[in-house]
Amino acid sequence: MGSLAQAVVTHYRSRPSGQAPALLSVEPEAAACVLESLGLGEPVSVSTGETTMAGLNCGTPSSIGWPFLYLGDHDRAPGA
């Protein structure tokens, strides 16, 4: 969960000119692991419920995407 958001953050934060744009992401209430993780400052798994799409029913943030989502800046992500 969060791979698409990570790609968006990486793309828009990679532009060096001017102030970086504000970014907004949404996820299903029934599987809000990224929101919960951002609030706690570390990746956590949450219990999930039914969602409209099976691919949205993920209870754990992407381990690759998490550092980018947390920091909001690919230049500061570990290993970048």
Side-chain angles (χ1 to χ4, degrees):
M1 186 84 165
S3 298
L4 178 58
Q6 180 261 316
V8 171
V9 168
T10 299
H11 174 76
Y12 285 102
R13 296 293 192 237
S14 68
R15 302 184 181 277
S17 61
Q19 187 175 2
L23 302 172
L24 172 71
S25 179
V26 296
E27 64 184 338
E29 242 180 4
C33 62
V34 173
L35 180 62
E36 183 73 16
S37 296
L38 288 172
L40 294 173
E42 63 184 3
V44 296
S45 296
V46 299
S47 297
T48 62
E50 284 191 39
T51 61
T52 304
M53 292 177 59
L56 295 179
N57 193 2
C58 300
T60 304
S62 161
S63 60
I64 295 172
W66 168 251
F68 297 91
L69 297 175
Y70 182 67
L71 296 173
D73 181 345
H74 82 285
D75 291 331
R76 293 184 293 159

